[in-house]
Amino acid sequence: MSGTIENRESFLQNIASKLNRKAGEYVKTPEWTHQPQFGVRRGASRRELTDVLKNAAEAVYTKVFETDAAGLPDQLDQVIQEYGGAPAIATRDGRFTEYGLNSLFEKYHIETWNVAEGHKNIDRAAQANIGLSVCDVMLAESATAGLYHDKDKARSVSLLPVASIVIVPASVIVPRLTQAMQQVESDIADGKEISHYINFISGPSNSADIEMRLVVGVHGPVKVAYVVVSDR
Amino acid sequence: MPMKVGNLPFFEGVDQAIHNTFMVNAVSSAQDGLREKKRKATTGDPTLGNWEDWRDAGEEIRQFTLNHLDYYLKQLSDQFAARGGHVFFAQTAEEAREYIKKVVRKKKAKNIVKSKSMVTEEISLNEALEEEGCDVLETDLAEFILQVDHDRPSHIVVPSVHKNRQQIRDSFRKIGYTGTDEPKELAGFARKTLRGKFLHADVGITGCNFAVSETGSICLVTNEGNANMVTTFPKTQITVMGMERLVPSWKELDVLVTLLCRSSVGQRLTTYVTDITPGAQPDTVDSPQDYYLVILDGGRSRALGTEFQSALQCIRCAACLNVCPVYRHIGGHAYGSIYPGPIGAVLSPILGGYKEYGKLPYASSLCAACTEACPVRIPLHKLLIRHREKYVEGGGKPPFSEKAGMKTFSIGASSPRLYRAGMKTAPFILKPLVHDGAIEKGPGPMKPWTHGRDLPQPSQEDFRTWFRKHKQSEMTGKNHETGEQQ
Ligand code: SF4
């Protein structure tokens, strides 16, 4: 699939002439002199990062629950109840089954995103009280859930319901955005196609546009919770 | 002139603004709040290491990218198109508008939702699309408020900072609101009103915080979730970007997103940092299937290869607005440009010319607080001085009376008396530099002065007083302090 490019030649020619360059001529991006990002929380352990995450989550109005793989179904059950229960919708993600959550899905009649059903999925997500996703990378510094969306791991699930609950395998917790970007870079270097919609989400949607007063819950979810699975 | 806000000449705009007490108070308290948040998230956050290193990193990346802009734009457009997207390079605002209108026509689109974007304000896109018969809806809360009121932004990051909640409540009444002036209730009304619109819109339009050349990706940095709605449900997406808003790869994106979030709103990251790349699988239910990218020059290339090139390093964080003593007293609208504050005073004359915006560089006390605040180290106050020099040299071809007026209005280094009056606008900024009533080591333009002698400490006369007196002297041709003819 190839798109189109219009008006490029004269546009770049104008720029290049100002810069004394040959338009579009290759340049290698240098190794930067200043790279402070790599020094932040270098060598922090998984435990330390989990604690950083918990602290940061508080600042973005997000609750963090911690459990292990064996305790996950019960913990999630409790969180779902705390956040008001069904109707709920989940992304289509093999990890839910892998984590032994099928019976919980049945208990709450949690709908799984299904592309074959088209727009119905969006209607369901818009009606849902809870959306369930599994985190692809968690940035401890800012309590940010990185979600690499595709047609199955749908973005609507963490956007439209009132509450977004994200399961976080502890193995995906990294110090900050830097490591997530490194991961994307290494996928590119390996020739993998990157996700077409990468979302880094830090807590519920909010706004301070009216007299600088914070309102939590604007267009996206009003509540967000993370369930960290320590041995996953 | 699309960038233009209001019809008043600069002096009259200022005159009107400084009498708007609510606005002045609102701007001051927003400035104080945002400045403190920024401090906590930058120099006040020890986990980050040395904030100055981050600024160095930002400057280095932005300078290199700009110096090789043609290459990175080529790569960006190649990558975007290779994934099925459509790229249009627009030399002017008009070309951008015409292209977007053409796309909208082709799609037979009626309902358009937009997320916050300064560049679409710059090209007056809404008006153009409304002429096409489209319903264009701003969905960022602040922009929604402004749209209901047919108002324009007065701050780059908090566009409706000049409005209070009673005014907002009254505006919302026009579209059926019956609630109180509680921010939560007002925001809830916007949520309810806009939900259905997102789900049924034909086209979604966004700006662009950063494009990533390496993969043809667009990064949006937001808090409310509206940009995610805008880029999820309409079948067609259009992104409009200023041609300089790009980074080579994801590695640099990390640094610049960090600088932007921390400098603009003092958050470690904003609630949503969303990276969109064209080419979603065709059976994706919640994704646009057509993606258009409009890259705008709009006068930016006039700065390339000149002493003003560094202005294009700007990442629109508004940190310079939040420390500016002049912006504090006159707010955003008085600048008469959608880009206000120190960066607006530098950028507007580049994009819109001296004839229209040549006076803006005088809306500064040259205290250099902006330069100190800027996360990508743009030497804003030096650029303001260069603009003044060029303007008076005839760059803007000011009439003789204006030249004389400019001399009076200039609060640069030409007259110690004017210097004293001008610097009264920023005593709090200069306080740390003052010892025994004199400034021993001044920043920026004061450096050469303080190098050989001490400057008197600015007194407490505020910008209002200063402006009133100087406005008078400009009209009478008299110096108000000495009675001398200028
Ligand atoms: S000039 Fe610097 S401080 Fe001002 S908005 Fe741009 S990046 Fe921010």
Side-chain angles (χ1 to χ4, degrees):
Chain A
M1 184 172 48
S2 183
T4 54
I5 301 175
E6 289 176 67
N7 257 5
R8 182 165 78 173
E9 212 173 299
S10 59
F11 191 100
L12 295 188
Q13 187 52 53
N14 175 46
I15 292 174
S17 70
K18 303 266 163 84
L19 294 169
N20 277 327
R21 281 178 43 82
K22 204 167 142 254
E25 191 178 27
Y26 173 77
V27 59
K28 189 173 163 20
T29 306
E31 190 62 21
W32 305 106
T33 326
H34 305 279
Q35 305 199 35
Q37 67 272 35
F38 296 110
V40 180
R41 299 187 204 284
R42 198 184 354 223
S45 69
R46 191 185 280 191
R47 183 69 255 157
E48 285 165 338
L49 291 178
T50 306
D51 291 340
V52 172
L53 157 65
K54 283 182 173 171
N55 272 330
E58 234 174 82
V60 294
Y61 314 93
T62 297
K63 265 197 179 176
V64 180
F65 302 86
E66 204 180 346
T67 182
D68 55 13
L72 178 62
D74 283 347
Q75 177 70 74
L76 191 59
D77 193 336
Q78 188 209 313
V79 177
I80 290 175
Q81 283 184 39
E82 189 177 327
Y83 282 76
I89 187 166
T91 55
R92 180 166 294 273
D93 189 324
R95 289 175 290 181
F96 287 116
T97 304
E98 204 184 298
Y99 296 169
L101 297 172
N102 287 354
S103 53
L104 194 71
F105 271 47
E106 278 165 29
K107 179 177 169 188
Y108 287 101
H109 305 291
I110 297 171
E111 304 270 4
T112 295
W113 193 270
N114 180 4
V115 284
E117 292 185 87
H119 204 276
K120 255 194 195 160
N121 291 280
I122 295 177
D123 296 337
R124 280 188 198 127
Q127 297 306 318
N129 179 48
I130 288 174
L132 282 171
S133 314
V134 186
C135 189
D136 295 305
V137 61
M138 166 59 68
L139 319 180
E141 178 187 79
S142 47
T144 304
L147 303 176
Y148 300 164
H149 297 292
D150 59 25
K151 62 178 182 173
D152 294 321
K153 288 158 68 182
R155 53 185 107 155
S156 298
V157 172
S158 54
L159 183 62
L160 289 174
V162 179
S164 164
I165 299 176
V166 183
I167 297 172
V168 184
S171 57
V172 306
I173 306 178
V174 298
R176 69 185 310 281
L177 187 60
T178 307
Q179 290 72 28
M181 300 281 116
Q182 278 179 312
Q183 201 175 307
V184 174
E185 285 291 343
S186 95
D187 283 353
I188 296 164
D190 292 348
K192 288 189 203 155
E193 190 54 32
I194 58 166
S195 158
H196 295 279
Y197 204 87
I198 298 180
N199 236 337
F200 293 102
I201 307 176
S202 318
S205 63
N206 62 81
S207 169
D209 282 348
I210 302 176
E211 292 192 1
M212 303 305 292
R213 291 240 319 238
L214 186 78
V215 174
V216 176
V218 188
H219 297 299
V222 178
K223 290 180 266 181
V224 174
Y226 299 150
V227 182
V228 176
V229 190
S230 55
D231 51 354
R232 284 286 180 176
Chain B
M1 176 64 57
M3 275 166 58
K4 199 159 167 44
V5 172
N7 295 314
L8 291 178
F10 178 58
F11 282 118
E12 280 156 54
V14 171
D15 223 0
Q16 200 175 69
I18 60 178
H19 291 108
N20 183 344
T21 318
F22 168 77
M23 185 277 294
V24 174
N25 290 341
V27 168
S28 307
S29 80
Q31 270 192 329
D32 294 344
L34 288 166
R35 222 173 36 227
E36 178 55 13
K37 278 183 165 180
K38 182 196 173 213
R39 190 198 60 75
K40 280 192 186 147
T42 56
T43 50
D45 182 355
T47 64
L48 207 56
N50 184 354
W51 176 245
E52 297 309 315
D53 290 345
W54 285 87
R55 293 178 74 201
D56 287 337
E59 181 188 29
E60 188 182 14
I61 291 167
R62 292 299 290 136
Q63 282 185 348
F64 188 88
T65 309
L66 287 173
N67 281 334
H68 303 88
L69 190 58
D70 54 297
Y71 169 69
Y72 289 115
L73 281 173
K74 179 174 182 294
Q75 189 188 32
L76 171 69
S77 47
D78 282 341
Q79 290 294 327
F80 195 89
R83 290 173 166 80
H86 304 284
V87 187
F88 181 80
F89 285 89
Q91 202 65 47
T92 62
E94 194 188 349
E95 281 180 22
R97 284 194 301 268
E98 288 309 311
Y99 178 76
I100 295 166
K101 284 204 286 199
K102 204 172 81 187
V103 172
V104 164
R105 243 178 268 142
K106 196 172 89 189
K107 298 288 172 188
K108 299 190 172 55
K110 175 97 176 75
N111 297 311
I112 296 176
V113 283
K114 276 183 72 203
S115 62
K116 180 173 167 291
S117 148
M118 293 305 293
V119 71
T120 58
E121 290 275 351
E122 182 184 324
I123 64 172
S124 299
L125 186 57
N126 291 12
E127 292 80 349
L129 291 173
E130 280 159 6
E131 275 167 25
E132 284 292 298
C134 298
D135 283 331
V136 187
L137 200 61
E138 292 288 351
T139 64
D140 170 81
L141 182 55
E143 295 278 2
F144 179 64
I145 292 167
L146 296 181
Q147 190 179 33
V148 171
D149 242 4
H150 306 289
D151 201 351
R152 302 293 301 271
S154 67
H155 188 279
I156 304 175
V157 173
V158 197
S160 64
V161 69
H162 57 285
K163 282 198 175 324
N164 64 21
R165 53 169 122 163
Q166 288 80 25
Q167 291 169 323
I168 296 167
R169 178 202 56 203
D170 294 346
S171 309
F172 279 10
R173 293 252 191 271
K174 292 184 231 162
I175 51 166
Y177 180 66
T178 52
T180 69
D181 60 9
E182 258 310 298
K184 198 170 168 54
E185 211 180 334
L186 291 163
F189 174 73
R191 177 185 172 102
K192 223 171 101 208
T193 309
L194 293 174
R195 236 329 143 93
K197 307 277 187 188
F198 286 125
L199 296 177
H200 299 105
D202 306 310
V203 173
I205 298 181
T206 75
C208 165
N209 290 102
F210 302 106
V212 185
S213 302
E214 184 183 26
T215 48
S217 308
I218 303 299
C219 176
L220 301 176
V221 177
T222 61
N223 270 321
E224 293 178 8
N226 62 313
N228 294 61
M229 299 279 185
V230 166
T231 57
T232 292
F233 301 112
K235 282 294 157 230
T236 301
Q237 185 183 337
I238 302 172
T239 290
V240 189
M241 66 176 272
M243 68 175 195
E244 79 285 15
R245 301 298 293 277
L246 80 176
V247 291
S249 77
W250 294 71
K251 184 176 176 183
E252 293 79 29
L253 183 65
D254 170 25
V255 175
L256 288 162
V257 165
T258 302
L259 289 169
L260 176 59
C261 296
R262 289 180 183 252
S263 300
S264 59
V265 281
Q267 288 170 263
R268 290 177 177 178
L269 283 184
T270 50
T271 307
Y272 297 95
V273 175
T274 304
D275 303 299
I276 313 163
T277 312
Q281 294 129 299
D283 53 348
T284 310
V285 178
D286 55 350
S287 169
Q289 290 303 332
D290 273 322
Y291 197 171
Y292 296 82
L293 175 63
V294 178
I295 302 175
L296 174 73
D297 181 320
R300 288 161 174 76
S301 59
R302 283 200 281 273
L304 285 177
T306 75
E307 59 208 316
F308 294 107
Q309 183 172 313
S310 60
L312 301 181
Q313 286 164 217
C314 177
I315 58 172
R316 304 285 191 275
C317 72
C320 56
L321 276 67
N322 298 335
V323 297
C324 178
V326 173
Y327 179 83
R328 188 179 186 87
H329 286 84
I330 68 174
H333 287 166
Y335 289 79
S337 162
I338 58 144
Y339 297 114
I343 184 59
V346 171
L347 201 57
S348 305
I350 296 170
L351 302 184
Y354 283 123
K355 192 166 178 286
E356 192 73 52
Y357 298 110
K359 287 174 186 158
L360 291 195
Y362 294 89
S364 162
S365 66
L366 300 181
C367 66
C370 48
T371 300
E372 285 304 305
C374 179
V376 289
R377 294 197 192 282
I378 302 173
L380 289 157
H381 71 282
K382 290 187 187 159
L383 299 181
L384 290 169
I385 294 170
R386 276 305 289 142
H387 267 319
R388 291 179 184 193
E389 284 166 359
K390 294 193 80 151
Y391 182 74
V392 174
E393 274 163 17
K397 299 195 177 44
F400 178 76
S401 60
E402 259 187 8
K403 272 190 189 174
M406 279 309 113
K407 268 195 194 136
T408 319
F409 195 46
S410 168
I411 33 186
S414 60
S415 150
R417 204 171 39 247
L418 289 181
Y419 157 81
R420 256 198 314 275
M423 291 320 267
K424 281 164 193 167
T425 60
F428 66 96
I429 287 165
L430 295 171
K431 217 169 183 179
L433 307 168
V434 173
H435 299 285
D436 292 327
I439 298 166
E440 291 165 4
K441 263 192 198 141
M446 292 191 293
K447 259 188 201 144
W449 274 40
T450 51
H451 192 68
R453 58 190 153 168
D454 291 349
L455 284 181
Q457 177 187 3
S459 76
Q460 297 302 314
E461 184 185 43
D462 65 5
F463 178 80
R464 288 157 164 273
T465 326
W466 171 86
F467 177 78
R468 200 176 53 242
K469 290 178 183 169
H470 284 270
K471 174 94 185 301
Q472 228 165 29
S473 70
E474 193 220 4
M475 288 184 315
T476 58
K478 262 190 180 174
N479 183 302
H480 66 89
E481 280 176 345
T482 62
E484 281 165 19
Q485 288 288 336
Q486 295 288 304

